[in-house]
Every structure is written in C-alpha cells, then in structure tokens.
Amino acid sequence: GMLTAGVTVPLVGIGTAAVKTATDFEAAMSNVRAISGATGAEFEGLEEKAIELGASTTFSATEVANAMTEMAKAGWDSQQIMDGMGGVLDAAAASGEELATVSTIVADSITTFGLAASESTRVADLLAQSANAGTINITDLGESIKYIGPVAKTMGFEIEDVVTAITALSTAGIKGSQAGTTLRSMFARLVKPTDDVAAAMDKLGITLADSEGNLSSLNAILEQMRSKFSTLTPEQQTYYATVLAGQEGMSGLTALLSMTQEEYDKISVSMKNAAGTAERTADVM
C-alpha cells in the first residue's frame, strides 16, 4: 500500500500541470483563431505547427501560439505565419528578448519593406547580426525601423542598407527612436527639399538619383555625401548637416558621415552576409 501511495501523488501533480498547459495552449490557439480568422484545415495546420515548434525549440507551444497571434495582428494570414515562424523563433532565441515583441518587429519589418513572409529568416538574421555588431538590441531596432520605415519604403531602400545605417548610428550612441528620427528627418528633407535644402544639395553636388533617374541605394547616397563632406571644414560640416538633416537629425548625420568609408563598408558587408546568424546565435544560447 505504501508504495502505490508514494507513486500516485507525484503523478497527480504531473497530470494537473499537463492539464493547465493544455488549457493555456487551447486558450492561446483560440486567440490565434479569433485574430487570424483561420478555420478548418488552416487552423489545424497552425495548431500542428505550434506543437511541432514547441517540441523542437526552446519555446513552449503556448509561447509559439502567442507569437502567431502577434503576427496575425500585423496582418499576416495563416500561410504567412507558417512560413515566417521559424525565422522569428531564431531571432527571439538569439536575442533572448520576448518572443511576442520579436514577432511583432519581424512582422512589421517585413510589411514595411514589402518583403515576403518567407523572408523572415533573412530579417531575423539581419536583426541578430545588428544586435551582435552594435550596441543595440532587437527592440531598439524595431523602434528605429518604425520611424524610418515609411520613408525607406517610398525610396525603395533595402532593409540591409537601412539596418547598416542604424547599426552605424548605434556605435555613436544614437539608437532606438533617435536613430529612426535622424534618418527619417534627413530623407524626408532630401526627397522634398525646401529651397535651403535644395541649394545645399546643389552646392555640395548631392543627387539622390543616377543618370537614368533611378533612386540610388541608401549606401550609395551616404557614400556620396561622405566624400563631399570630407572636403569641408568642421564649421561647414556642422552647417550643412543642420541644413540637410534638420536640428533633430544633424548629430546623427554628422556621426554617419564622420566614419571612414572603410568602417562603414565593414558594417555593410557584415549585414549583407548575415545569413545564418540568428540560427547560429540561437544554438549557442
């Protein structure tokens, strides 16, 4: 009799924990259903995916389900969630940040830059690479992208180039919304120049488009500005940085342009070669 009593008590404990976990998971999945509008086979697919990822990653099936809800809130459909989930989990594991937060940032970045959900791994790698290289975390990056994103989309900038600029700014202690505001302020002024800005661009010989009239890449525009600025006195640099980027963006622009081209290119190359970073970092963690 003693033996069975001793054995059954722990089993009851396990049973209760399992029921609670199952209930939490069901509640989380019903949120996914409500927000994504997934039904039938679509919903079953999401549920199976959450269970599978819950078993194969450091996250529980419930956490995966909660992340799916965040992605649905960002406007993703079931297929996009299925395609994008792997990259999101790697980015979250690599950064050690909240899964729900990272899901939102990856989803928003993909939407902002007009990428496919299946490119979530590319975005995750980029965010992890930046967080490894700079003095910022993925939450900071999300803040920056929120501000610069719309202008970047209008100008057709690549996400790698934008993250390069954000990472470079972080090395000068400019991060989060401040980095995003710097870039937004500068490009908003360059795209729709006031008379002052137009005169300054003209004087410095700064153009946003190539001879064919195609907008240049963010890296190319900054490289051009960097070479023009290198010929100016410190006073002139301050003056032109203020005209071109405005009061709120001038310190950021000065920081970006005072780096050597080699220093900047080194960050850029690391962002373009970021593939696999999130997964590697996640494995190490």
Side-chain angles (χ1 to χ4, degrees):
M2 278 307 289
L3 186 62
T4 29
V7 172
T8 47
V9 175
L11 287 179
V12 170
I14 291 168
T16 317
V19 169
K20 163 134 179 45
T21 308
T23 314
D24 289 347
F25 177 64
E26 275 159 31
M29 282 312 300
S30 61
N31 285 339
V32 175
R33 179 190 273 132
I35 291 173
S36 69
T39 53
E42 275 187 352
F43 180 73
E44 279 167 26
L46 287 172
E47 197 162 38
E48 278 164 23
K49 188 79 169 168
I51 291 167
E52 174 210 320
L53 290 168
S56 62
T57 67
T58 54
F59 299 101
S60 70
T62 303
E63 287 174 308
V64 174
N66 290 335
M68 287 176 166
T69 299
E70 293 305 317
M71 293 160 104
K73 283 182 192 164
W76 287 25
D77 63 26
S78 302
Q79 192 54 53
Q80 289 174 310
I81 293 172
M82 303 273 277
D83 291 344
M85 208 63 233
V88 169
L89 293 176
D90 279 343
S95 65
E97 291 174 63
E98 285 293 322
L99 179 56
T101 309
V102 174
S103 316
T104 308
I105 293 168
V106 172
D108 287 347
S109 301
I110 283 177
T111 308
T112 297
F113 287 93
L115 304 173
S118 54
E119 292 188 270
S120 75
T121 303
R122 170 185 168 190
V123 174
D125 286 335
L126 198 54
L127 299 178
Q129 179 71 23
S130 174
N132 288 346
T135 52
I136 39 179
N137 57 33
I138 289 181
T139 306
D140 291 326
L141 277 159
E143 270 301 293
S144 301
I145 288 170
K146 196 161 46 183
Y147 287 89
I148 177 59
V151 179
K153 192 175 191 176
T154 308
M155 296 191 69
F157 288 158
E158 285 204 355
I159 188 169
E160 282 80 3
D161 287 4
V162 172
V163 173
T164 296
I166 294 169
T167 309
L169 283 168
S170 80
T171 63
I174 298 170
K175 52 186 89 170
S177 58
Q178 196 193 350
T181 309
T182 289
L183 293 168
R184 178 181 67 183
S185 157
M186 171 174 128
F187 283 104
R189 293 164 80 94
L190 294 176
V191 175
K192 290 195 175 134
T194 58
D195 293 349
D196 286 358
V197 174
M201 287 170 75
D202 199 39
K203 188 102 173 69
L204 294 171
I206 292 167
T207 53
L208 298 185
D210 60 21
S211 50
E212 259 83 83
N214 302 313
L215 280 173
S216 302
S217 71
L218 171 56
N219 279 4
I221 293 169
L222 288 175
E223 184 169 351
Q224 184 192 156
M225 290 172 83
R226 193 173 285 114
S227 93
K228 307 288 185 195
F229 264 65
S230 66
T231 64
L232 304 175
T233 66
E235 292 76 24
Q236 288 172 318
Q237 286 181 354
T238 305
Y239 168 75
Y240 281 113
T242 308
V243 174
L244 294 174
Q247 213 58 55
E248 54 179 348
M250 62 87 58
S251 57
L253 179 56
T254 307
L256 280 180
L257 299 183
S258 63
M259 293 179 86
T260 68
Q261 191 59 45
E262 288 73 28
E263 288 170 326
Y264 196 82
D265 287 344
K266 195 173 165 195
I267 297 175
S268 175
V269 167
S270 79
M271 295 306 149
K272 290 198 169 29
N273 296 333
T277 306
E279 197 180 351
R280 281 195 302 276
T281 312
D283 288 346
V284 172
M285 305 287 262

